[in-house]
Every structure is written in structure tokens, then in C-alpha cells.
Amino acid sequence: MRQLTKYAADSASNATAADETLQMAVRVIGSACHSDEPALGKALAFLLERFCGPNIFLKAVAYEQLHALSQSRSEPLPIILCRHSKRLSLTVVKALDRDPHTFSECVELLGMPPRRFFRSHLDHLLPPLVISNQREILIEIAKTVQQPLPMLCINHGHHILSKIFLMDGDNELMQQALQSFLELVTITNKPYSGSQDHSGVTITNIVRSCSVQLVFLLVLELGNADPALRRRAYDALYTVKSILDEDADEASLSNKPRPAVIVLDDSDNPGGLEAAGTSMREGPGSATLKRQGAKPMLGDKPLDEFLVRHILSILAYLNEILHAQDRRSRRRSRRLAMPACPAGERVQALRAIKKVILIIGAKATQFLSNLVATLSAPLKGGNLIVCIEAWKALAWAVKDASLSCEALNTLLIPLLERFSSEGPAAPPDSSDCEASDSEYKAMIAEVIEALLLDRETTIKSFWPLLCPIPRSQALGKVREMINRLQGVTLGPEKHIEYLVELLKHTNPVV
């Protein structure tokens, strides 16, 4: 490679000088980034694109800059690249179509054999390749991982369909992508098709076979930072629901209008709505998708009941992103130096929980303990503002519900634990530095007020059993209510009875 660099430098033109300087600047930026920072991934992607490009001089420069970045960070290059390999995987695989030798060099930089590279990144590679109908590359991947192409596509159908349903653009592009997917699943050319006959498979069959995982992916996109993508996620959830609710008979699928789509905005008002809509209906051997407008309907039965049916599994999936993935990924991180779970995914998961709560509305009361369990741990970590927004949504969802003392304590204990804690709201390596500790406590106080102030009449019957409220200026209104309730005359026996019940509580804070 050094000889290649010397040869390329002798023949380099002035037109490439600016790009060479840019590569050096990108390397400097990448050297200053944290290990899992997205900016480092962008820098690596830029250099790897030049390495995979046709210009031999720029390829040599990119090679040198990648190794210089590795030296400046005192980390082996494969470890740095593998940490961001999800972002880089598509750039690497596109080299397979242009120059197989360059692809081999790329996977060598990653420190992976081709088969392991493909197996590790199928979820990220297959959707864009299917959408762009890169059949030759898909066939090569299927051969390398030793799976028939139809089975490979079906096994990862939830990832492929989620990306197709979330596509931007008109209906024609989405229909083309669905048709391309269907053709790959029903391919009959030997040896790519394997021994099984998939000629009768339809998009509806695939959606039904991977519906749970597909719902998970689309719900996660409800927390996407892009409003347009969130709207398309709502549309896609209605599409999946319409398919799952239809009778098994394919002939019954018709172009009947479907209910409105609820799209909740990101304002502080949990009731903010805007309309959007998508309907998918499939005839025999074809895949079609139509978009249509709809009127906003809060608490509309179709989507809230649909999500309620899946709520426990949805929370388990989002919980995995927020918590369990840290433990599960430690073994993998030792091998590949990959982050356990990017901070952006955690933020997206918290936003998705907020959206789900707002959609199911008062039905959230049925799953109060599950929602509280999911939202309690993030209160002790970073991204606290996003977490508190989800708690606000939960307080809004149960505002008209008749909650028992036990249910109110379930809601209050995690909030009061965080409110009473001292020190920074987030660990030192967190990027959540948007507010001071006192500002966080003021936000939590708002949630506590929303839970208690409008329930004074109900709380009057059991206020001694309510978990203790700190004497804090931020909770002044709540303390005023408690003081009023303390004026209610209770006999000594009743006082002792309430105190004994509190002493039995499993939470040490109470």
C-alpha cells in the first residue's frame, strides 16, 4: 500500500488536492471525538467512501488517514471501525458490486471474514439492497452466508418491510419496493431459490408471519426525531393492523377506507394532534399501497386497542433497549468493541414510550406497574428531560382515572426518589446537560402536582397512607394540599393503623 501511495502521489492531479486536504481535516475531527460519538462514525464513513472509490490516489490517502486516526486514538483500526460498523456496512457492501477486491480490503480493515461481516449486518444491509433491487449483491450475500435467497429475505422480512413502509416519496416507489421484495421471495432460479417452493407467498403472508417484530420496529420509529418519519410510522402501524385484522381469505382484501391516523406532536400539550393516513390492500400476486387523508380522532379504537394488545411485548422490547441490552452486549463489546446501546436509541425508545402512552390514553391505567417499571430506571441516568416528558404523558393519560392509594404510591415513589436525590442527574459520560439539578426537580414537581392536585377529594380518604411528600419549595402546592388534609380529625387508633400499614411497605423511602 505504501508503494501504491508513492505511485499515486506522483500522478496526482491538482483536482484531488482539495479532497486530500479535506480527508486530513476529517481525520483530525475524528481523532477528537468520543468513541461512540456519531461524528466519529461520519468521519469514518467519509474516509471509507474514499477508500472504496475509483480514484487510486484518494484511496491511498484514505488508507493512510484511517491508520493515522487509529494511531492518534491509540486503538486498533478494526476495533474503531467495528464500533461503527452498522453505519459503515452499506458503504462496504456497495464496493462488492464495483470491485470485489476493494470489498475484500474493506472487510480486512474491519478484521472480519466476509461471511461473518454479512451475518453481523444483515438487518442493516438487506432493506436498502431490496428497496434498490440490487439483486446481484443479494445473491452474492445469500451464497456467502449459505442460505437460499427467499429464506434470507423472509427471515429478515420485519426489517425489510419496516423500511419499505417508512419510505419517503409517492406510492409508486413503495409499490415498486414491495414488488421487488415479493419477486426476491418467490424467485425460482436455481440454486438461489433453495429446495422449498415460495411461489404462493404474498406480502400479507409475510406481514402476518413477522407481525410482532414488525410492530416493535414501527413503534420504535414513533420516537424518531424526524416528524415526517413519525407520521409514516403511524401510517405503517395502521397498515399492519389492517392486514392482521383482515380475514384469512385474500379475496376479502378491498380498498375500503380506514379510520383516521392519530399523530401526536412534540409540544408540551399531550393532546396535540395532526392527521395523516396510509392504507394497504393487496390483491392476489401483487402489492399495493395508497395514502389518503384522515381526520384526527383522539382515543380512536383501532390503533389504541391494537397497541394495547401488544403493549406488554412492546414494553419488553423497549425495556431491552433501555436496560437489558447493556448486560447482553458486554460479551459482544469485549469482542467487537461495539457500544452496548447508543444514547440516541435510548432517547428514541423513551420518546416512543411517550407516544404509545398518549395513543392508548386512559387504557394506560391497566398497565401502570409495567409502565412505571420501564420508566423508573431512566430517571436515575442521562436523558432525564426526555424521560420526564414520558412521565408527563403518563400523568396526563391517567388524569381522569380513579386511582387507589397503592396506584398513586406506585407512580409517586420513583419520582420522589429522584426528586430527593442529590448531585447530577446524569452520569459523567452522559450528554444530557440541558438543565441544572434544580430545574430537573422543578420538572418532576410538575408531574407530581399533575398526579395529586386534582385528586384532593379522593386522597382525603386515605392521605395518611400516601408516601411522604418532601418539604420543598418546588412542591409548595402539594404541601399546601397535604396541610389541608392533615386538618381532618383522625382518632389515635386510625393514626396507628395507617402508620403500621406504612411500616409494612416494601420501599425503604416510604
Side-chain angles (χ1 to χ4, degrees):
M1 182 59 77
R2 287 195 180 91
Q3 291 178 346
L4 180 62
T5 304
K6 184 178 183 300
Y7 172 81
D10 293 337
S11 60
S13 64
N14 292 332
T16 61
D19 202 303
E20 178 186 6
T21 304
L22 186 57
Q23 287 193 48
M24 295 173 67
V26 168
R27 186 260 302 167
V28 172
I29 293 171
S31 300
C33 295
H34 295 296
S35 296
D36 58 350
E37 196 171 339
L40 176 57
K42 292 179 181 179
L44 292 170
F46 179 87
L47 294 174
L48 202 60
E49 284 175 4
R50 298 303 188 273
F51 181 79
C52 296
N55 189 310
I56 195 170
F57 173 70
L58 294 180
K59 177 176 180 175
V61 172
Y63 178 85
E64 294 295 338
Q65 294 304 314
L66 283 168
H67 281 279
L69 189 149
S70 171
Q71 291 176 1
S72 66
R73 300 184 64 85
S74 301
E75 284 185 290
L77 183 59
I79 289 180
I80 299 174
L81 292 174
C82 283
R83 191 178 290 123
H84 298 270
S85 61
K86 291 180 180 180
R87 182 185 184 92
L88 306 174
S89 58
L90 193 58
T91 300
V92 173
V93 82
K94 284 181 177 177
L96 182 63
D97 190 38
R98 294 193 300 265
D99 181 9
H101 179 68
T102 299
F103 168 76
S104 299
E105 291 178 327
C106 285
V107 293
E108 187 177 342
L109 287 177
L110 286 163
M112 296 183 185
R115 185 179 180 185
R116 179 179 162 195
F117 168 76
F118 286 138
R119 284 187 177 277
S120 301
H121 300 91
L122 285 172
D123 294 344
H124 302 275
L125 292 174
L126 293 181
L129 293 174
V130 169
I131 289 171
S132 57
N133 200 20
Q134 300 285 330
R135 185 168 297 195
E136 294 303 319
I137 297 179
L138 287 166
I139 289 173
E140 186 63 32
I141 292 174
K143 287 165 57 179
T144 304
V145 300
Q146 299 178 351
Q147 281 190 36
L149 183 55
M151 186 58 64
L152 188 66
C153 291
I154 290 174
N155 288 343
H156 297 270
H158 51 295
H159 287 282
I160 296 171
L161 286 172
S162 69
K163 294 300 181 185
I164 291 177
F165 291 159
L166 294 170
M167 283 178 65
D168 191 10
D170 55 23
N171 295 323
E172 185 177 350
L173 294 175
M174 199 174 298
Q175 290 173 21
Q176 289 174 1
L178 287 170
Q179 198 62 42
S180 172
F181 180 39
L182 200 57
E183 289 172 2
L184 291 168
V185 169
T186 57
I187 190 172
T188 57
N189 297 350
K190 300 288 185 179
Y192 314 126
S193 60
S195 58
Q196 296 183 357
D197 180 17
H198 299 93
S199 58
V201 174
T202 66
I203 293 295
T204 296
N205 299 146
I206 301 172
V207 170
R208 286 173 178 163
S209 68
C210 65
S211 59
V212 175
Q213 294 166 303
L214 182 56
V215 168
F216 291 167
L217 294 174
L218 295 176
V219 165
L220 183 60
E221 291 303 325
L222 293 178
N224 198 287
D226 183 357
L229 202 52
R230 290 198 301 273
R231 283 193 291 271
R232 294 199 292 273
Y234 278 100
D235 293 349
L237 281 169
Y238 266 110
T239 298
V240 173
K241 183 211 168 295
S242 67
I243 292 173
L244 297 178
D245 287 352
E246 289 287 352
D247 293 331
D249 183 9
E250 294 292 332
S252 68
L253 295 173
S254 61
N255 285 317
K256 61 186 179 184
R258 67 163 178 76
V261 177
I262 305 172
V263 182
L264 295 143
D265 61 23
D266 285 328
S267 65
D268 291 333
N269 175 17
L273 298 174
E274 51 184 301
T278 300
S279 179
M280 175 178 167
R281 291 294 181 267
E282 179 187 11
S286 66
T288 60
L289 185 147
K290 294 183 179 181
R291 297 183 189 276
Q292 59 185 21
K295 297 179 181 179
M297 295 168 61
L298 182 61
D300 182 27
K301 284 188 177 180
L303 194 54
D304 64 355
E305 291 187 354
F306 176 68
L307 291 181
V308 164
R309 291 205 303 267
H310 296 276
I311 189 67
L312 295 180
S313 54
I314 288 172
L315 288 177
Y317 172 74
L318 296 175
N319 229 13
E320 177 74 7
I321 295 174
L322 291 171
H323 315 298
Q325 194 165 341
D326 291 329
R327 300 188 296 272
R328 186 189 64 185
S329 299
R330 283 185 188 129
R331 292 189 298 273
R332 183 182 64 176
S333 63
R334 293 191 195 105
R335 184 176 72 252
L336 297 178
M338 291 182 177
C341 182
E345 283 189 29
R346 290 191 176 96
V347 172
Q348 188 170 341
L350 286 169
R351 287 179 180 150
I353 293 171
K354 171 189 171 183
K355 299 298 182 182
V356 169
I357 291 170
L358 293 177
I359 292 173
I360 66 176
K363 293 183 176 68
T365 310
Q366 305 170 34
F367 310 98
L368 210 52
S369 58
N370 305 91
L371 289 165
V372 169
T374 300
L375 291 173
S376 293
L379 280 173
K380 303 171 184 177
N383 312 118
L384 190 56
I385 290 179
V386 183
C387 181
I388 294 173
E389 288 297 321
W391 277 95
K392 283 183 180 179
L394 183 56
W396 170 83
V398 301
K399 62 183 175 63
D400 296 324
S402 178
L403 298 180
S404 65
C405 181
E406 182 181 357
L408 278 174
N409 281 338
T410 299
L411 288 162
L412 290 172
I413 288 170
L415 294 167
L416 290 172
E417 282 183 336
R418 174 60 192 93
F419 184 88
S420 301
S421 64
E422 298 295 337
D429 59 346
S430 171
S431 60
D432 189 2
C433 302
E434 303 172 21
S436 66
D437 193 58
S438 60
E439 289 173 319
Y440 286 128
K441 290 186 176 183
M443 297 177 203
I444 294 173
E446 289 180 13
V447 182
I448 296 172
E449 288 176 359
L451 289 169
L452 295 180
L453 293 185
D454 291 336
R455 290 188 166 88
E456 183 171 351
T457 303
T458 305
I459 295 172
K460 186 176 181 179
S461 62
F462 56 71
W463 70 263
L465 289 176
L466 206 62
C467 60
I469 305 297
R471 297 182 182 278
S472 169
Q473 186 176 355
L475 291 170
K477 294 180 180 178
V478 177
R479 288 301 314 174
E480 288 176 9
M481 183 192 77
I482 297 296
N483 291 337
R484 286 195 300 272
L485 293 174
Q486 286 175 340
V488 178
T489 303
L490 290 174
E493 293 182 0
K494 202 66 177 175
H495 261 302
I496 293 173
E497 180 184 337
Y498 284 148
L499 288 172
V500 169
E501 288 299 319
L502 286 173
L503 286 170
K504 293 178 182 178
H505 204 284
T506 55
N507 191 292
V509 175
V510 178

